Amino acid sequence: MATAKKVSFKLNGKPVEVTVEPRELLIHSLRERLAHTGPHIGCETSHCGACTVDLNEMSVKACTVLTVQCEGAEITTIEGLEQGGALHALQQAFHEEHGLQCGYCTPGMITRAYRLLKENPNPSEQDIRSGISGNLCRCTGYQNIVKAVQSAAKKLAAAG
Amino acid sequence: MIPAGFDYHAPRSVADAVKLLGELGPEAKLLAGGHSLLPMMKLRFAEPGHLVDLGRIAELRGISEAGKEIRIGAMTTEHELLRSKLLAEKVPLLVEGAGWIADPQVRYKGTIGGDISHGDPANDQPALMLALEASFVLTGPKGERVVKADGYFLGLYSTQLAEDEILTQIRIPLPAPGSGWSYQKLKRKTGDFATAATAVMLQMKGKSVASVAIALTNAGPTVLKARDAEAYLKGKAIDDASLNEAARLAMKICQPTPDQRGDAEYKVAMCGEMTRRALQAAHARAKG
Ligand SMILES: Cc1cc2nc3c(=O)[nH]c(=O)nc-3n(C[C@H](O)[C@H](O)[C@H](O)COP(=O)(O)OP(=O)(O)OC[C@H]3O[C@@H](n4cnc5c(N)ncnc54)[C@H](O)[C@@H]3O)c2cc1C
Ligand code: FES
Ligand code: FES
């Protein structure tokens, strides 16, 4: 019944094209067709944030977006944050501040924090906590995640 | 969890969307932010044959002031409401309320029109709309009609919207200068729906209430307007006795569904408490 659609978008700066049934979720196109397995599937029910990607300058849960909705979009995943072999300040800070344990939530957490810092380069601790409140972490207790985001914010501000 | 198959349509104008709805008939559903509809489709609670995505229709987005009202396109997201300077200045209740909805990711996608249209009594926008005395522009094959939020919500998943209509715009009369406002919501965690929540708009004249609107989220099959509490408060001072009586009258109309958030008795009590707190906070902000 359902007609497959060609969908083109930019993934981490590179043009890509997929042909999908309309019911295909973005997370599956990314992981299974485009080999971007950074965004994880946690809950599949729009609650955990493990699947977070940056879509047209919004943090979204890729398990709750249809690929067909992404025609012409610009999508950034955790794979796109590293530049020229150098980790993004957030990735470096998560490493230095022990902002992860098992790492399952980390790609979503960092991708979300990336957009948060774009919108609010100098966030308070409360801004960070509410800003990442759509991302669950079962390991860290969030303390070191908050520290990592604070530390990355300072580094990014210093770098201008 | 993947939805059942459907065909996807992405019209570029309201006129085209209305036409498509008419052609496709009851098999079609509108897709806004998708953050209620797609979860329901993934669980196969909904299996529409066609989705008509409103996401590409530019005329459905944006917030503007027109004469004595604020106009908000139905596809404006909760995130956009939260960041709007115009709303922060003119309709702060809507900004406060949007901040209580879901979590940051959901707010980037979820729209005010979708939240109003979904029809779940746990949605927060309907109570905000009742408190703000909003009207809705509904566009169908015969053109536009404007209906008041008060009376729009008929029951569980039931509103005055006809099958061939689209909610296109929300109109909010500018609140009188000095109005107090508050949305108080009890929830267990970020991203949870309300155990109980109350929206209040309040105008004082000296020490007494000139006008007040009170609306309750998740306290019945649909949003409830606490009319007896409103009528009682008119002309009264806000003090412990009047707050208790207003809360009691609001609790009297509650018929919450027991669920994992609590039994009916607890939810009714929490509705009373949210009503008391919302009135207190609105009173503290009101100048008059
Ligand atoms: C984790 C999570 C937590 C949430 N927490 C809350 C919360 O605390 N409070 C809350 O209020 N909501 C909450 N929601 C729901 C969320 O706010 C939804 O975005 C909202 O209910 C629906 O808006 P939407 O734009 O996503 O609409 P969609 O999901 O696209 O559509 C919802 C329904 O409305 C219809 N519809 C949409 N737009 C229109 C229109 N313009 N005209 C006519 N019909 C239309 C659709 O056909 C569909 O039936 C939560 C969702 C999630 C996933
Ligand atoms: S997998 Fe998408 S929110 Fe959990
Ligand atoms: S590090 Fe394990 S879930 Fe966050």
Side-chain angles (χ1 to χ4, degrees), chain B residues 113-168:
Chain B
D115 203 279
I116 291 167
S117 304
H118 182 50
D120 187 324
N123 279 121
D124 292 293
Q125 285 291 355
L128 300 170
M129 294 299 109
L130 284 188
L132 289 165
E133 295 174 356
S135 302
F136 304 141
V137 181
L138 311 180
T139 308
K142 294 193 205 100
E144 285 184 354
R145 60 186 179 121
V146 182
V147 299
K148 288 200 154 47
D150 192 2
Y152 181 76
F153 301 98
L154 303 174
L156 188 63
Y157 298 117
S158 165
T159 67
Q160 282 195 34
L161 187 86
E163 233 170 43
D164 56 359
E165 283 179 319
I166 300 174
L167 166 62
T168 46

Side-chain angles (χ1 to χ4, degrees), chain B residues 29-30 32-37 102 110-111 114-115 123-124 167 185 191 193:
Chain B
K29 260 211 159 293
L30 295 170
H35 274 60
S36 287
L37 183 55
T111 65
D115 203 279
N123 279 121
D124 292 293
L167 166 62
K185 174 172 171 177
F193 289 95

Side-chain angles (χ1 to χ4, degrees), chain A residues 1-3 5 22-23 25 44-45 52 58-59 61 63-64 68-69 71 112 115 119 130-131 133-135, chain B residues 1-8 31 34-35 38-39 42 44 53 56 79 83 103-106 108-109 190:
Chain A
M1 171 194 69
T3 325
K5 294 239 179 211
R23 64 179 178 155
L25 300 165
E44 284 195 89
T45 56
T52 300
M58 306 178 290
S59 301
K61 295 173 178 172
C63 74
T64 316
V68 287
Q69 288 175 285
E71 174 60 42
R112 168 59 197 140
R115 182 51 48 199
E119 289 180 356
S130 54
S133 61
N135 296 74
Chain B
M1 286 198 317
I2 296 168
F6 56 85
D7 273 319
Y8 173 80
L31 174 68
H35 274 60
L38 294 178
K42 284 160 73 175
R44 309 283 168 116
D53 186 358
R56 310 249 158 205
H79 182 78
R83 290 176 74 88
D103 63 39
Q105 281 94 323
V106 176
Y108 280 104
K109 290 298 282 178
T190 294

Side-chain angles (χ1 to χ4, degrees), chain B residues 45-62:
Chain B
F45 291 150
E47 298 189 18
H50 298 269
L51 281 190
V52 177
D53 186 358
L54 301 176
R56 310 249 158 205
I57 306 179
E59 62 191 295
L60 286 179
R61 293 188 96 111

Side-chain angles (χ1 to χ4, degrees), chain B residues 64-71 90-91 132-133 171-177:
Chain B
S64 62
E65 190 172 350
K68 289 194 179 329
E69 63 187 20
I70 297 287
R71 296 183 168 181
K90 303 282 167 79
V91 196
L132 289 165
E133 295 174 356
R171 296 184 175 169
I172 299 173
L174 285 175

Side-chain angles (χ1 to χ4, degrees), chain A residues 40-51 61-64:
Chain A
H40 290 160
I41 300 176
C43 64
E44 284 195 89
T45 56
S46 333
H47 285 92
C48 73
C51 62
K61 295 173 178 172
C63 74
T64 316

